[in-house]
PDB file of all heavy atoms in Angstrom:
ATOM      1  N   TRP Z   1     -25.724  13.474  10.644  1.00 86.00           N
ATOM      2  CA  TRP Z   1     -26.829  14.107   9.913  1.00 86.00           C
ATOM      3  C   TRP Z   1     -27.931  13.125   9.523  1.00 86.00           C
ATOM      4  O   TRP Z   1     -28.551  13.249   8.466  1.00 86.00           O
ATOM      5  CB  TRP Z   1     -26.326  14.843   8.666  1.00 86.00           C
ATOM      6  CG  TRP Z   1     -25.207  15.781   8.974  1.00 86.00           C
ATOM      7  CD1 TRP Z   1     -25.280  16.928   9.706  1.00 86.00           C
ATOM      8  CD2 TRP Z   1     -23.839  15.629   8.588  1.00 86.00           C
ATOM      9  NE1 TRP Z   1     -24.033  17.507   9.790  1.00 86.00           N
ATOM     10  CE2 TRP Z   1     -23.127  16.726   9.115  1.00 86.00           C
ATOM     11  CE3 TRP Z   1     -23.137  14.680   7.860  1.00 86.00           C
ATOM     12  CZ2 TRP Z   1     -21.769  16.906   8.930  1.00 86.00           C
ATOM     13  CZ3 TRP Z   1     -21.787  14.854   7.679  1.00 86.00           C
ATOM     14  CH2 TRP Z   1     -21.114  15.953   8.212  1.00 86.00           C
ATOM     15  N   GLY Z   2     -28.154  12.130  10.351  1.00 82.00           N
ATOM     16  CA  GLY Z   2     -29.202  11.158  10.082  1.00 82.00           C
ATOM     17  C   GLY Z   2     -28.796  10.020   9.164  1.00 82.00           C
ATOM     18  O   GLY Z   2     -29.595   9.145   8.863  1.00 82.00           O
ATOM     19  N   ASN Z   3     -27.542   9.998   8.688  1.00 81.00           N
ATOM     20  CA  ASN Z   3     -27.067   8.892   7.851  1.00 81.00           C
ATOM     21  C   ASN Z   3     -26.921   7.636   8.701  1.00 81.00           C
ATOM     22  O   ASN Z   3     -26.652   7.720   9.891  1.00 81.00           O
ATOM     23  CB  ASN Z   3     -25.724   9.248   7.206  1.00 81.00           C
ATOM     24  CG  ASN Z   3     -25.838  10.408   6.247  1.00 81.00           C
ATOM     25  OD1 ASN Z   3     -26.824  10.525   5.525  1.00 81.00           O
ATOM     26  ND2 ASN Z   3     -24.842  11.262   6.231  1.00 81.00           N
ATOM     27  N   LYS Z   4     -27.092   6.486   8.079  1.00 83.00           N
ATOM     28  CA  LYS Z   4     -27.064   5.229   8.827  1.00 83.00           C
ATOM     29  C   LYS Z   4     -26.124   4.191   8.206  1.00 83.00           C
ATOM     30  O   LYS Z   4     -26.370   3.007   8.273  1.00 83.00           O
ATOM     31  CB  LYS Z   4     -28.479   4.663   8.928  1.00 83.00           C
ATOM     32  CG  LYS Z   4     -29.441   5.628   9.612  1.00 83.00           C
ATOM     33  CD  LYS Z   4     -30.635   4.937  10.181  1.00 83.00           C
ATOM     34  CE  LYS Z   4     -31.636   5.854  10.806  1.00 83.00           C
ATOM     35  NZ  LYS Z   4     -31.154   6.865  11.682  1.00 83.00           N
ATOM     36  N   ALA Z   5     -25.029   4.638   7.604  1.00 83.00           N
ATOM     37  CA  ALA Z   5     -24.073   3.706   7.005  1.00 83.00           C
ATOM     38  C   ALA Z   5     -23.221   3.052   8.087  1.00 83.00           C
ATOM     39  O   ALA Z   5     -22.874   3.695   9.083  1.00 83.00           O
ATOM     40  CB  ALA Z   5     -23.174   4.440   6.020  1.00 83.00           C
ATOM     41  N   PRO Z   6     -22.876   1.794   7.904  1.00 86.00           N
ATOM     42  CA  PRO Z   6     -21.975   1.132   8.854  1.00 86.00           C
ATOM     43  C   PRO Z   6     -20.580   1.767   8.794  1.00 86.00           C
ATOM     44  O   PRO Z   6     -20.251   2.456   7.831  1.00 86.00           O
ATOM     45  CB  PRO Z   6     -21.925  -0.317   8.358  1.00 86.00           C
ATOM     46  CG  PRO Z   6     -23.015  -0.458   7.373  1.00 86.00           C
ATOM     47  CD  PRO Z   6     -23.327   0.897   6.852  1.00 86.00           C
ATOM     48  N   PRO Z   7     -19.757   1.521   9.790  1.00 89.00           N
ATOM     49  CA  PRO Z   7     -18.404   2.096   9.792  1.00 89.00           C
ATOM     50  C   PRO Z   7     -17.550   1.568   8.637  1.00 89.00           C
ATOM     51  O   PRO Z   7     -17.765   0.467   8.137  1.00 89.00           O
ATOM     52  CB  PRO Z   7     -17.819   1.655  11.126  1.00 89.00           C
ATOM     53  CG  PRO Z   7     -18.812   0.784  11.777  1.00 89.00           C
ATOM     54  CD  PRO Z   7     -20.043   0.733  10.958  1.00 89.00           C
ATOM     55  N   VAL Z   8     -16.581   2.374   8.246  1.00 90.00           N
ATOM     56  CA  VAL Z   8     -15.586   1.994   7.244  1.00 90.00           C
ATOM     57  C   VAL Z   8     -14.299   1.689   8.005  1.00 90.00           C
ATOM     58  O   VAL Z   8     -13.917   2.446   8.897  1.00 90.00           O
ATOM     59  CB  VAL Z   8     -15.357   3.147   6.238  1.00 90.00           C
ATOM     60  CG1 VAL Z   8     -14.237   2.798   5.260  1.00 90.00           C
ATOM     61  CG2 VAL Z   8     -16.645   3.462   5.488  1.00 90.00           C
ATOM     62  N   SER Z   9     -13.634   0.610   7.660  1.00 90.00           N
ATOM     63  CA  SER Z   9     -12.410   0.243   8.374  1.00 90.00           C
ATOM     64  C   SER Z   9     -11.168   0.703   7.614  1.00 90.00           C
ATOM     65  O   SER Z   9     -11.184   0.868   6.391  1.00 90.00           O
ATOM     66  CB  SER Z   9     -12.342  -1.273   8.574  1.00 90.00           C
ATOM     67  OG  SER Z   9     -12.035  -1.916   7.354  1.00 90.00           O
ATOM     68  N   ALA Z  10     -10.095   0.887   8.360  1.00 92.00           N
ATOM     69  CA  ALA Z  10      -8.815   1.236   7.746  1.00 92.00           C
ATOM     70  C   ALA Z  10      -8.350   0.124   6.806  1.00 92.00           C
ATOM     71  O   ALA Z  10      -7.713   0.400   5.782  1.00 92.00           O
ATOM     72  CB  ALA Z  10      -7.773   1.496   8.833  1.00 92.00           C
ATOM     73  N   ASP Z  11      -8.694  -1.129   7.113  1.00 92.00           N
ATOM     74  CA  ASP Z  11      -8.320  -2.245   6.236  1.00 92.00           C
ATOM     75  C   ASP Z  11      -9.013  -2.151   4.876  1.00 92.00           C
ATOM     76  O   ASP Z  11      -8.419  -2.484   3.849  1.00 92.00           O
ATOM     77  CB  ASP Z  11      -8.636  -3.589   6.887  1.00 92.00           C
ATOM     78  CG  ASP Z  11      -7.670  -3.931   8.011  1.00 92.00           C
ATOM     79  OD1 ASP Z  11      -6.555  -3.355   8.055  1.00 92.00           O
ATOM     80  OD2 ASP Z  11      -8.033  -4.772   8.855  1.00 92.00           O
ATOM     81  N   GLU Z  12     -10.272  -1.697   4.868  1.00 91.00           N
ATOM     82  CA  GLU Z  12     -10.981  -1.508   3.598  1.00 91.00           C
ATOM     83  C   GLU Z  12     -10.286  -0.427   2.766  1.00 91.00           C
ATOM     84  O   GLU Z  12     -10.099  -0.590   1.559  1.00 91.00           O
ATOM     85  CB  GLU Z  12     -12.436  -1.103   3.838  1.00 91.00           C
ATOM     86  CG  GLU Z  12     -13.296  -2.213   4.395  1.00 91.00           C
ATOM     87  CD  GLU Z  12     -14.677  -1.714   4.752  1.00 91.00           C
ATOM     88  OE1 GLU Z  12     -14.808  -0.910   5.690  1.00 91.00           O
ATOM     89  OE2 GLU Z  12     -15.627  -2.139   4.067  1.00 91.00           O
ATOM     90  N   VAL Z  13      -9.926   0.669   3.421  1.00 93.00           N
ATOM     91  CA  VAL Z  13      -9.240   1.755   2.720  1.00 93.00           C
ATOM     92  C   VAL Z  13      -7.898   1.258   2.192  1.00 93.00           C
ATOM     93  O   VAL Z  13      -7.548   1.502   1.031  1.00 93.00           O
ATOM     94  CB  VAL Z  13      -9.048   2.979   3.642  1.00 93.00           C
ATOM     95  CG1 VAL Z  13      -8.271   4.074   2.921  1.00 93.00           C
ATOM     96  CG2 VAL Z  13     -10.394   3.504   4.125  1.00 93.00           C
ATOM     97  N   LYS Z  14      -7.168   0.533   3.019  1.00 94.00           N
ATOM     98  CA  LYS Z  14      -5.852   0.004   2.624  1.00 94.00           C
ATOM     99  C   LYS Z  14      -5.974  -0.897   1.392  1.00 94.00           C
ATOM    100  O   LYS Z  14      -5.165  -0.811   0.464  1.00 94.00           O
ATOM    101  CB  LYS Z  14      -5.239  -0.769   3.790  1.00 94.00           C
ATOM    102  CG  LYS Z  14      -3.881  -1.351   3.498  1.00 94.00           C
ATOM    103  CD  LYS Z  14      -3.338  -2.100   4.700  1.00 94.00           C
ATOM    104  CE  LYS Z  14      -1.986  -2.703   4.400  1.00 94.00           C
ATOM    105  NZ  LYS Z  14      -1.446  -3.443   5.553  1.00 94.00           N
ATOM    106  N   ALA Z  15      -6.990  -1.756   1.372  1.00 92.00           N
ATOM    107  CA  ALA Z  15      -7.170  -2.679   0.244  1.00 92.00           C
ATOM    108  C   ALA Z  15      -7.460  -1.915  -1.050  1.00 92.00           C
ATOM    109  O   ALA Z  15      -6.898  -2.233  -2.103  1.00 92.00           O
ATOM    110  CB  ALA Z  15      -8.302  -3.661   0.551  1.00 92.00           C
ATOM    111  N   ILE Z  16      -8.305  -0.918  -0.976  1.00 92.00           N
ATOM    112  CA  ILE Z  16      -8.634  -0.156  -2.186  1.00 92.00           C
ATOM    113  C   ILE Z  16      -7.449   0.715  -2.589  1.00 92.00           C
ATOM    114  O   ILE Z  16      -7.143   0.841  -3.776  1.00 92.00           O
ATOM    115  CB  ILE Z  16      -9.928   0.660  -1.990  1.00 92.00           C
ATOM    116  CG1 ILE Z  16     -11.104  -0.321  -1.922  1.00 92.00           C
ATOM    117  CG2 ILE Z  16     -10.115   1.674  -3.121  1.00 92.00           C
ATOM    118  CD1 ILE Z  16     -12.444   0.303  -1.679  1.00 92.00           C
ATOM    119  N   ARG Z  17      -6.753   1.285  -1.613  1.00 94.00           N
ATOM    120  CA  ARG Z  17      -5.564   2.082  -1.941  1.00 94.00           C
ATOM    121  C   ARG Z  17      -4.566   1.230  -2.729  1.00 94.00           C
ATOM    122  O   ARG Z  17      -4.005   1.675  -3.730  1.00 94.00           O
ATOM    123  CB  ARG Z  17      -4.917   2.620  -0.664  1.00 94.00           C
ATOM    124  CG  ARG Z  17      -3.760   3.582  -0.933  1.00 94.00           C
ATOM    125  CD  ARG Z  17      -3.023   3.948   0.354  1.00 94.00           C
ATOM    126  NE  ARG Z  17      -3.777   4.734   1.277  1.00 94.00           N
ATOM    127  CZ  ARG Z  17      -3.761   6.069   1.346  1.00 94.00           C
ATOM    128  NH1 ARG Z  17      -3.034   6.757   0.498  1.00 94.00           N
ATOM    129  NH2 ARG Z  17      -4.468   6.699   2.264  1.00 94.00           N
ATOM    130  N   ALA Z  18      -4.348  -0.012  -2.283  1.00 94.00           N
ATOM    131  CA  ALA Z  18      -3.422  -0.906  -2.988  1.00 94.00           C
ATOM    132  C   ALA Z  18      -3.946  -1.266  -4.377  1.00 94.00           C
ATOM    133  O   ALA Z  18      -3.177  -1.320  -5.345  1.00 94.00           O
ATOM    134  CB  ALA Z  18      -3.191  -2.174  -2.155  1.00 94.00           C
ATOM    135  N   GLU Z  19      -5.245  -1.499  -4.468  1.00 91.00           N
ATOM    136  CA  GLU Z  19      -5.857  -1.893  -5.740  1.00 91.00           C
ATOM    137  C   GLU Z  19      -5.725  -0.805  -6.806  1.00 91.00           C
ATOM    138  O   GLU Z  19      -5.546  -1.103  -7.982  1.00 91.00           O
ATOM    139  CB  GLU Z  19      -7.338  -2.204  -5.495  1.00 91.00           C
ATOM    140  CG  GLU Z  19      -8.104  -2.640  -6.714  1.00 91.00           C
ATOM    141  CD  GLU Z  19      -9.567  -2.869  -6.385  1.00 91.00           C
ATOM    142  OE1 GLU Z  19      -9.884  -3.323  -5.271  1.00 91.00           O
ATOM    143  OE2 GLU Z  19     -10.392  -2.578  -7.259  1.00 91.00           O
ATOM    144  N   ILE Z  20      -5.808   0.456  -6.392  1.00 92.00           N
ATOM    145  CA  ILE Z  20      -5.788   1.560  -7.360  1.00 92.00           C
ATOM    146  C   ILE Z  20      -4.512   2.398  -7.251  1.00 92.00           C
ATOM    147  O   ILE Z  20      -4.474   3.556  -7.668  1.00 92.00           O
ATOM    148  CB  ILE Z  20      -7.038   2.464  -7.206  1.00 92.00           C
ATOM    149  CG1 ILE Z  20      -7.087   3.129  -5.834  1.00 92.00           C
ATOM    150  CG2 ILE Z  20      -8.300   1.664  -7.488  1.00 92.00           C
ATOM    151  CD1 ILE Z  20      -8.169   4.180  -5.692  1.00 92.00           C
ATOM    152  N   ALA Z  21      -3.443   1.805  -6.722  1.00 93.00           N
ATOM    153  CA  ALA Z  21      -2.199   2.542  -6.454  1.00 93.00           C
ATOM    154  C   ALA Z  21      -1.646   3.249  -7.686  1.00 93.00           C
ATOM    155  O   ALA Z  21      -1.069   4.330  -7.581  1.00 93.00           O
ATOM    156  CB  ALA Z  21      -1.146   1.597  -5.878  1.00 93.00           C
ATOM    157  N   SER Z  22      -1.816   2.690  -8.860  1.00 94.00           N
ATOM    158  CA  SER Z  22      -1.249   3.305 -10.060  1.00 94.00           C
ATOM    159  C   SER Z  22      -2.126   4.414 -10.640  1.00 94.00           C
ATOM    160  O   SER Z  22      -1.697   5.121 -11.549  1.00 94.00           O
ATOM    161  CB  SER Z  22      -0.997   2.238 -11.127  1.00 94.00           C
ATOM    162  OG  SER Z  22      -2.231   1.661 -11.530  1.00 94.00           O
ATOM    163  N   ARG Z  23      -3.308   4.590 -10.128  1.00 93.00           N
ATOM    164  CA  ARG Z  23      -4.213   5.621 -10.646  1.00 93.00           C
ATOM    165  C   ARG Z  23      -3.761   6.991 -10.156  1.00 93.00           C
ATOM    166  O   ARG Z  23      -3.547   7.189  -8.972  1.00 93.00           O
ATOM    167  CB  ARG Z  23      -5.651   5.355 -10.207  1.00 93.00           C
ATOM    168  CG  ARG Z  23      -6.633   6.328 -10.833  1.00 93.00           C
ATOM    169  CD  ARG Z  23      -8.058   6.047 -10.415  1.00 93.00           C
ATOM    170  NE  ARG Z  23      -8.952   6.968 -11.061  1.00 93.00           N
ATOM    171  CZ  ARG Z  23      -9.579   6.750 -12.220  1.00 93.00           C
ATOM    172  NH1 ARG Z  23      -9.415   5.606 -12.841  1.00 93.00           N
ATOM    173  NH2 ARG Z  23     -10.370   7.667 -12.734  1.00 93.00           N
ATOM    174  N   ASP Z  24      -3.658   7.944 -11.084  1.00 92.00           N
ATOM    175  CA  ASP Z  24      -3.207   9.277 -10.708  1.00 92.00           C
ATOM    176  C   ASP Z  24      -4.189  10.378 -11.112  1.00 92.00           C
ATOM    177  O   ASP Z  24      -3.845  11.541 -11.124  1.00 92.00           O
ATOM    178  CB  ASP Z  24      -1.820   9.565 -11.298  1.00 92.00           C
ATOM    179  CG  ASP Z  24      -1.815   9.526 -12.815  1.00 92.00           C
ATOM    180  OD1 ASP Z  24      -2.857   9.208 -13.421  1.00 92.00           O
ATOM    181  OD2 ASP Z  24      -0.760   9.832 -13.404  1.00 92.00           O
ATOM    182  N   GLN Z  25      -5.410   9.996 -11.428  1.00 93.00           N
ATOM    183  CA  GLN Z  25      -6.400  10.999 -11.825  1.00 93.00           C
ATOM    184  C   GLN Z  25      -7.675  10.843 -11.013  1.00 93.00           C
ATOM    185  O   GLN Z  25      -7.922   9.799 -10.419  1.00 93.00           O
ATOM    186  CB  GLN Z  25      -6.713  10.867 -13.317  1.00 93.00           C
ATOM    187  CG  GLN Z  25      -7.436   9.577 -13.651  1.00 93.00           C
ATOM    188  CD  GLN Z  25      -7.078   9.025 -15.011  1.00 93.00           C
ATOM    189  OE1 GLN Z  25      -5.937   9.097 -15.425  1.00 93.00           O
ATOM    190  NE2 GLN Z  25      -8.037   8.464 -15.697  1.00 93.00           N
ATOM    191  N   ALA Z  26      -8.470  11.909 -11.016  1.00 93.00           N
ATOM    192  CA  ALA Z  26      -9.750  11.893 -10.314  1.00 93.00           C
ATOM    193  C   ALA Z  26     -10.712  10.949 -11.030  1.00 93.00           C
ATOM    194  O   ALA Z  26     -10.596  10.691 -12.229  1.00 93.00           O
ATOM    195  CB  ALA Z  26     -10.334  13.308 -10.264  1.00 93.00           C
ATOM    196  N   TRP Z  27     -11.676  10.444 -10.287  1.00 92.00           N
ATOM    197  CA  TRP Z  27     -12.723   9.589 -10.845  1.00 92.00           C
ATOM    198  C   TRP Z  27     -13.773  10.458 -11.530  1.00 92.00           C
ATOM    199  O   TRP Z  27     -13.998  11.595 -11.141  1.00 92.00           O
ATOM    200  CB  TRP Z  27     -13.396   8.787  -9.732  1.00 92.00           C
ATOM    201  CG  TRP Z  27     -12.472   7.818  -9.073  1.00 92.00           C
ATOM    202  CD1 TRP Z  27     -11.737   8.026  -7.945  1.00 92.00           C
ATOM    203  CD2 TRP Z  27     -12.149   6.512  -9.516  1.00 92.00           C
ATOM    204  NE1 TRP Z  27     -10.991   6.919  -7.656  1.00 92.00           N
ATOM    205  CE2 TRP Z  27     -11.223   5.976  -8.610  1.00 92.00           C
ATOM    206  CE3 TRP Z  27     -12.551   5.740 -10.600  1.00 92.00           C
ATOM    207  CZ2 TRP Z  27     -10.693   4.702  -8.746  1.00 92.00           C
ATOM    208  CZ3 TRP Z  27     -12.024   4.469 -10.724  1.00 92.00           C
ATOM    209  CH2 TRP Z  27     -11.112   3.963  -9.815  1.00 92.00           C
ATOM    210  N   THR Z  28     -14.426   9.881 -12.511  1.00 91.00           N
ATOM    211  CA  THR Z  28     -15.600  10.522 -13.088  1.00 91.00           C
ATOM    212  C   THR Z  28     -16.824   9.789 -12.543  1.00 91.00           C
ATOM    213  O   THR Z  28     -16.723   8.616 -12.156  1.00 91.00           O
ATOM    214  CB  THR Z  28     -15.606  10.436 -14.625  1.00 91.00           C
ATOM    215  OG1 THR Z  28     -15.744   9.054 -15.013  1.00 91.00           O
ATOM    216  CG2 THR Z  28     -14.342  11.035 -15.228  1.00 91.00           C
ATOM    217  N   PRO Z  29     -17.973  10.445 -12.531  1.00 89.00           N
ATOM    218  CA  PRO Z  29     -19.176   9.750 -12.074  1.00 89.00           C
ATOM    219  C   PRO Z  29     -19.450   8.463 -12.863  1.00 89.00           C
ATOM    220  O   PRO Z  29     -19.832   7.458 -12.285  1.00 89.00           O
ATOM    221  CB  PRO Z  29     -20.280  10.786 -12.278  1.00 89.00           C
ATOM    222  CG  PRO Z  29     -19.565  12.095 -12.094  1.00 89.00           C
ATOM    223  CD  PRO Z  29     -18.217  11.874 -12.739  1.00 89.00           C
ATOM    224  N   ASP Z  30     -19.231   8.488 -14.178  1.00 88.00           N
ATOM    225  CA  ASP Z  30     -19.473   7.287 -14.993  1.00 88.00           C
ATOM    226  C   ASP Z  30     -18.583   6.128 -14.562  1.00 88.00           C
ATOM    227  O   ASP Z  30     -19.034   4.979 -14.509  1.00 88.00           O
ATOM    228  CB  ASP Z  30     -19.258   7.579 -16.479  1.00 88.00           C
ATOM    229  CG  ASP Z  30     -20.353   8.446 -17.068  1.00 88.00           C
ATOM    230  OD1 ASP Z  30     -21.455   8.525 -16.484  1.00 88.00           O
ATOM    231  OD2 ASP Z  30     -20.110   9.048 -18.121  1.00 88.00           O
ATOM    232  N   GLU Z  31     -17.328   6.400 -14.251  1.00 89.00           N
ATOM    233  CA  GLU Z  31     -16.429   5.339 -13.785  1.00 89.00           C
ATOM    234  C   GLU Z  31     -16.910   4.769 -12.456  1.00 89.00           C
ATOM    235  O   GLU Z  31     -16.899   3.557 -12.255  1.00 89.00           O
ATOM    236  CB  GLU Z  31     -15.006   5.875 -13.599  1.00 89.00           C
ATOM    237  CG  GLU Z  31     -14.276   6.192 -14.869  1.00 89.00           C
ATOM    238  CD  GLU Z  31     -12.929   6.821 -14.600  1.00 89.00           C
ATOM    239  OE1 GLU Z  31     -12.851   7.783 -13.796  1.00 89.00           O
ATOM    240  OE2 GLU Z  31     -11.949   6.341 -15.192  1.00 89.00           O
ATOM    241  N   LEU Z  32     -17.321   5.651 -11.559  1.00 86.00           N
ATOM    242  CA  LEU Z  32     -17.764   5.200 -10.238  1.00 86.00           C
ATOM    243  C   LEU Z  32     -19.022   4.358 -10.310  1.00 86.00           C
ATOM    244  O   LEU Z  32     -19.195   3.423  -9.533  1.00 86.00           O
ATOM    245  CB  LEU Z  32     -17.986   6.401  -9.320  1.00 86.00           C
ATOM    246  CG  LEU Z  32     -16.720   7.114  -8.876  1.00 86.00           C
ATOM    247  CD1 LEU Z  32     -17.075   8.404  -8.158  1.00 86.00           C
ATOM    248  CD2 LEU Z  32     -15.860   6.231  -8.000  1.00 86.00           C
ATOM    249  N   LEU Z  33     -19.916   4.671 -11.242  1.00 83.00           N
ATOM    250  CA  LEU Z  33     -21.157   3.905 -11.362  1.00 83.00           C
ATOM    251  C   LEU Z  33     -20.909   2.469 -11.800  1.00 83.00           C
ATOM    252  O   LEU Z  33     -21.758   1.607 -11.610  1.00 83.00           O
ATOM    253  CB  LEU Z  33     -22.124   4.595 -12.326  1.00 83.00           C
ATOM    254  CG  LEU Z  33     -22.759   5.868 -11.771  1.00 83.00           C
ATOM    255  CD1 LEU Z  33     -23.571   6.565 -12.853  1.00 83.00           C
ATOM    256  CD2 LEU Z  33     -23.610   5.573 -10.548  1.00 83.00           C
ATOM    257  N   LYS Z  34     -19.745   2.195 -12.355  1.00 84.00           N
ATOM    258  CA  LYS Z  34     -19.393   0.828 -12.763  1.00 84.00           C
ATOM    259  C   LYS Z  34     -18.885  -0.010 -11.591  1.00 84.00           C
ATOM    260  O   LYS Z  34     -18.697  -1.210 -11.719  1.00 84.00           O
ATOM    261  CB  LYS Z  34     -18.341   0.873 -13.867  1.00 84.00           C
ATOM    262  CG  LYS Z  34     -18.864   1.482 -15.144  1.00 84.00           C
ATOM    263  CD  LYS Z  34     -17.779   1.611 -16.175  1.00 84.00           C
ATOM    264  CE  LYS Z  34     -18.325   2.329 -17.407  1.00 84.00           C
ATOM    265  NZ  LYS Z  34     -17.276   2.661 -18.361  1.00 84.00           N
ATOM    266  N   ILE Z  35     -18.663   0.633 -10.448  1.00 83.00           N
ATOM    267  CA  ILE Z  35     -18.149  -0.058  -9.266  1.00 83.00           C
ATOM    268  C   ILE Z  35     -19.329  -0.452  -8.390  1.00 83.00           C
ATOM    269  O   ILE Z  35     -20.103   0.408  -7.975  1.00 83.00           O
ATOM    270  CB  ILE Z  35     -17.174   0.849  -8.486  1.00 83.00           C
ATOM    271  CG1 ILE Z  35     -15.991   1.200  -9.378  1.00 83.00           C
ATOM    272  CG2 ILE Z  35     -16.720   0.171  -7.199  1.00 83.00           C
ATOM    273  CD1 ILE Z  35     -15.133   2.318  -8.843  1.00 83.00           C
ATOM    274  N   PRO Z  36     -19.505  -1.743  -8.100  1.00 76.00           N
ATOM    275  CA  PRO Z  36     -20.633  -2.165  -7.263  1.00 76.00           C
ATOM    276  C   PRO Z  36     -20.609  -1.511  -5.897  1.00 76.00           C
ATOM    277  O   PRO Z  36     -19.552  -1.216  -5.347  1.00 76.00           O
ATOM    278  CB  PRO Z  36     -20.437  -3.679  -7.134  1.00 76.00           C
ATOM    279  CG  PRO Z  36     -19.570  -4.059  -8.275  1.00 76.00           C
ATOM    280  CD  PRO Z  36     -18.690  -2.862  -8.537  1.00 76.00           C
TER     281      PRO Z  36
END
């Protein structure tokens, strides 16, 4: 749809999955805005 983001790798997903493994709730927009 005209987006131009670079690809996301499975390794990136794996790293974040491990980093937030204990999280069991949805994110709020305010929480996400704190993430660079």
Side-chain angles (χ1 to χ4, degrees):
W1 308 292
N3 296 322
K4 301 202 183 314
V8 175
S9 74
D11 287 340
E12 289 174 293
V13 177
K14 180 180 179 180
I16 290 178
R17 186 188 292 267
E19 181 182 325
I20 63 171
S22 64
R23 185 179 182 93
D24 61 356
Q25 67 213 38
W27 295 94
T28 66
D30 288 340
E31 289 175 311
L32 289 171
L33 288 173
K34 294 176 184 172
I35 299 167

